[in-house]
Amino acid sequence: MAKTADATMQEKSPRWFGLAYLLIFIAGVGFFLLSFVALGVVPGWRLADAMAAHTKTEMPDYSASELRGRQLYTRLGCALCHSQQVRFLVSDARRWGAPTQAWETRYDFPQLWGTRRIGPDLAREAQVRSDDWQLAHLYNPRWVVADSVMPGFTWLFHGSPDRPATAASDLLAYLRTLGRAQQSSPKKNQDVLIAADMDGTMDMQNKNLSSAHFQNPNQPQLDRTAPDLTSTSATREQLLARGQTLFAQNCAGCHGAGGAGDGPAAASLLPKPTNLRQHRFSSQGLAQILWNGVAGSAMPAWRNLSIADLAGLSAYVQTLHAALASAHSTPTPTSVLAHGAVIYADHCSSCHGAQGLGDGVVGSTLLPRPANFKITQADSTRITQVLNDGVPGTSMPPWPGLSPSDKQAVSAFVRTLFNSATEQNP
Ligand code: HEC
Ligand code: HEC
Ligand code: HEC
């Protein structure tokens, strides 16, 4: 009975059933090819298109020194604490800048994107810190960032940060490449924004993002924007106490505990950190300096601090000079001032600007920018020193051609440009 049933089954099964193995084989290979094309080839094309659209054709490859620096970076374990990839997240872009795109690392093999962030992401580092800052930091991170846990790499130097050995120079050269490609790309932040906007990930958290939000808050800026630091409810005592603590934590390494410009990092920095005891600042001016930093020097911007913190720092920095303020109260005769004005128009205004705003025709091409005499006033000792020696590390030259009385006159004139109306120092 059973045998007959089997036989009937076999007779009834369709002919193609015998080819089932072949069909399954073809379907299997077909699906494999399909997924290979859909998941491998097509995204590859799209990535290549996207890279072609964003890459500047002359994107430079690493130089020999940069390549040695990159090898050092790997060997010294920098990548164990630092990632090199700004993710497509608002929180990342706010801290470090535009998100990292694939084409930027096309010369990197292996990539150093990394996953651990004991220290900050370095994908945009080149635009953030000056060379002298980097070397001082590499030598002893605690000189410039008081509570840093990063080890110092002193053996890459001949005894001090301003005497880097080849290794430190190579490492610095490599750090300078981080973010270079993005910076020179014709399609910068704006496109990244649009791309991010399209996939919705970034826009979810903030409706009014612009590329201005895509910046490392420590990166010095050339604009003169300043937040309003006056709208704080804190008393003057509270402000000063807060400012003093913040100054010790953030500024003393460079400007010195007393603000005299003699912190441990100062020795190797050029230009030197300002001696805050020799300078007066308007409140508006300080807000602008802290908000934007000083481009072309090691002085960072401090946009990562809250408005209340900045107000505290501003109030505190203004007290550093107060003790000396009375020493310069003798009024200068008008004839001397008039003589000073002539010298100023002849020699100084092309850089410092007719009104002393640091925006003369030549001045607006220089880094650091010439001093803005409206917001900062050096005492006469400092001005005399500057006229004798210039300001090393900047374009401010010495003036051996001016007689002592000329110097005195122009110094007095320059000091009158200070706008004390905006100063709130008692
Ligand atoms: C043990 C972890 C660790 C190692 C290893 C390390 N760093 Fe750091 N790094 C940090 C931390 C934490 C910070 C943040 C505090 C500071 O600025 O010092 C930092 C900050 C930095 C910064 C400043 C970023 C900025 O703009 O604020 C740079 C540049 C840097 N490191 C480079 C390096 C290099 C180059 C190496 C390898 C030679 C290295 N780091 C090794 C932990 C580390
Ligand atoms: C890494 C070193 C460094 C740190 C940290 C630093 N500064 Fe500076 N700062 C400088 C240098 C260098 C200059 C001089 C710039 C120049 O001469 O162009 C400067 C200049 C200044 C000036 C004068 C700017 C001007 O235009 O005249 C002020 C005010 C100032 N810093 C305040 C601060 C305060 C407040 C802090 C802490 C929140 C701070 N700095 C932290 C290095 C530093
Ligand atoms: C080639 C351009 C240039 C010329 C010309 C020039 N300066 Fe300057 N000056 C600068 C720059 C740049 C700085 C900023 C230095 C800095 O950031 O520390 C500066 C800074 C200063 C300072 C501020 C120093 C301080 O510590 O705050 C004084 C004062 C000054 N100049 C006076 C003069 C006088 C007076 C003349 C004319 C006799 C003059 N400068 C001509 C470029 C110039």
Side-chain angles (χ1 to χ4, degrees):
M1 268 300 264
K3 257 183 189 174
T4 344
D6 261 4
T8 14
M9 284 271 282
Q10 252 171 21
E11 272 159 35
K12 275 182 182 170
S13 63
R15 285 184 66 205
W16 58 265
F17 203 77
L19 299 173
Y21 291 109
L22 186 63
L23 281 175
I24 290 169
F25 176 73
I26 292 172
V29 172
F31 277 116
F32 175 76
L33 286 176
L34 187 68
S35 57
F36 183 74
V37 170
L39 302 177
V41 178
V42 173
W45 282 338
R46 289 180 56 184
L47 189 63
D49 283 349
M51 283 164 85
H54 287 263
T55 315
K56 218 183 176 187
T57 36
E58 65 268 33
M59 173 180 165
D61 199 351
Y62 292 114
S63 71
S65 161
E66 290 160 4
L67 206 57
R68 286 196 303 272
R70 195 177 122 84
Q71 281 155 2
L72 264 171
Y73 184 94
T74 324
R75 198 177 331 135
L76 294 172
C78 312
L80 299 177
C81 289
H82 292 286
S83 62
Q84 282 186 18
Q85 183 189 191
V86 183
R87 296 172 298 173
F88 273 74
L89 296 172
V90 173
S91 51
D92 260 31
R94 284 249 166 91
R95 286 180 73 185
W96 296 301
T100 303
Q101 291 176 290
W103 63 271
E104 290 182 49
T105 47
R106 66 174 178 169
Y107 293 132
D108 288 7
F109 189 80
Q111 285 93 355
L112 294 172
W113 292 332
T115 50
R116 296 190 78 196
R117 280 179 176 168
I118 293 169
D121 187 275
L122 297 181
R124 303 279 171 251
E125 184 64 13
Q127 299 146 51
V128 179
R129 307 289 188 181
S130 66
D131 291 357
D132 54 352
W133 189 97
Q134 291 292 4
L135 292 175
H137 180 259
L138 210 51
Y139 190 81
N140 186 342
R142 270 137 316 271
W143 283 357
V144 283
V145 181
D147 54 358
S148 178
V149 297
M150 174 166 147
F153 294 86
T154 43
W155 66 91
L156 305 175
F157 296 83
H158 298 298
S160 73
D162 51 354
R163 298 175 59 219
T166 322
S169 307
D170 290 344
L171 199 51
L172 176 65
Y174 174 63
L175 289 176
R176 268 200 235 117
T177 70
L178 298 174
R180 177 172 72 182
Q182 191 266 348
Q183 199 185 24
S184 61
S185 163
K187 301 192 168 195
K188 282 204 261 181
N189 305 353
Q190 221 57 47
D191 292 65
V192 177
L193 260 180
I194 294 162
D197 215 31
M198 273 161 49
D199 76 12
T201 42
M202 292 198 124
D203 202 42
M204 271 188 329
Q205 297 172 52
N206 191 328
K207 288 291 171 205
N208 300 315
L209 276 181
S210 78
S211 56
H213 295 90
F214 281 39
Q215 249 153 18
N216 189 308
N218 290 134
Q219 179 176 346
Q221 303 295 328
L222 277 173
D223 60 42
R224 294 187 166 183
T225 49
D228 178 16
L229 301 184
T230 54
S231 61
T232 148
S233 55
T235 65
R236 190 164 161 77
E237 283 68 36
Q238 287 168 331
L239 277 181
L240 287 181
R242 187 169 196 161
Q244 187 165 20
T245 317
L246 284 163
F247 190 88
Q249 286 167 352
N250 296 295
C251 325
C254 291
H255 289 283
D262 55 358
S268 69
L269 298 179
L270 259 189
K272 296 256 165 281
T274 306
N275 178 345
L276 301 171
R277 308 184 77 87
Q278 285 184 317
H279 290 83
R280 254 194 323 166
F281 300 96
S282 69
S283 318
Q284 250 256 305
L286 267 177
Q288 190 223 294
I289 291 167
L290 294 174
W291 190 245
N292 299 309
V294 181
S297 84
M299 171 70 183
W302 297 94
R303 296 188 182 192
N304 51 337
L305 297 180
S306 68
I307 297 296
D309 286 349
L310 293 176
L313 274 169
S314 167
Y316 178 71
V317 167
Q318 280 174 317
T319 64
L320 294 172
H321 180 269
L324 299 167
S326 55
H328 305 283
S329 43
T330 4
T332 318
T334 13
S335 58
V336 175
L337 285 182
H339 179 47
V342 173
I343 297 175
Y344 182 85
D346 283 354
H347 297 302
C348 321
S349 63
S350 61
C351 284
H352 289 281
Q355 321 291 320
L357 299 177
D359 58 354
V361 263
V362 180
S364 40
T365 64
L366 302 173
L367 276 185
R369 290 279 194 265
N372 178 345
F373 298 127
K374 190 177 171 197
I375 64 168
T376 152
Q377 185 190 51
D379 67 21
S380 32
T381 328
R382 165 70 182 168
I383 301 185
T384 313
Q385 183 203 342
V386 166
L387 291 174
N388 289 337
D389 307 334
V391 182
T394 77
S395 328
M396 174 67 191
W399 293 90
L402 295 180
S403 72
S405 64
D406 287 348
K407 287 181 184 167
Q408 212 186 346
V410 76
S411 158
F413 172 74
V414 157
R415 287 170 48 80
T416 61
L417 298 170
F418 184 63
N419 187 351
S420 50
T422 54
E423 202 204 16
Q424 294 193 331
N425 200 17

